[in-house]
Amino acid sequence: MPVLVVIIVISLAFYAYFKVKAFRSTKSIEKRWIAAKSSIALGLFVASFGLNQLFLYRSTLSLIVGIIFVLIGIGSSWAGFRAYKHYLPQVVKEAQEQK
């Protein structure tokens, strides 16, 4: 499905962008916050890749691998979202203290 391919490419691009941005960040809390965003993007990439596997191929092995990828992707996105929500107030506080 072309829609899933677009989602795969965009989420992979966001993952790479946030990973580089987190690597270049000097503040520790901001680095963790950006890493959480990259975890969300990676989870979306893995989940959409798994969905693409489910729609493209109809073998039993492909079905099992696709379901595993979807579950891992959803788990990674969920954990990244929870970390994002956890670090957001701390990033705001850190930014206000630097002013």
Side-chain angles (χ1 to χ4, degrees):
M1 296 187 64
V3 174
L4 287 175
V5 173
V6 170
I7 292 172
I8 288 170
V9 170
I10 289 173
S11 62
L12 187 61
F14 272 117
Y15 170 72
Y17 171 74
F18 287 131
K19 206 52 153 167
V20 169
K21 193 172 179 181
F23 181 73
R24 297 184 73 192
S25 178
T26 57
K27 304 172 193 167
S28 67
I29 298 295
E30 184 182 41
K31 183 178 284 215
R32 292 179 190 161
W33 181 60
I34 296 170
K37 290 196 271 186
S38 73
S39 177
I40 293 169
L42 182 63
L44 288 175
F45 167 73
V46 172
S48 58
F49 189 80
L51 281 175
N52 197 27
Q53 283 293 106
L54 292 176
F55 287 121
L56 284 183
Y57 307 109
R58 296 290 179 183
S59 69
T60 305
L61 180 63
S62 176
L63 179 69
I64 292 169
V65 170
I67 290 171
I68 290 171
F69 275 23
V70 168
L71 293 176
I72 289 172
I74 289 171
S76 178
S77 291
W78 179 68
F81 183 70
R82 288 190 50 151
Y84 174 83
K85 282 180 27 179
H86 174 75
Y87 290 121
L88 182 61
Q90 296 173 12
V91 169
V92 171
K93 183 179 177 183
E94 186 179 61
Q96 287 175 349
E97 287 175 357
Q98 273 197 325
K99 285 186 179 180

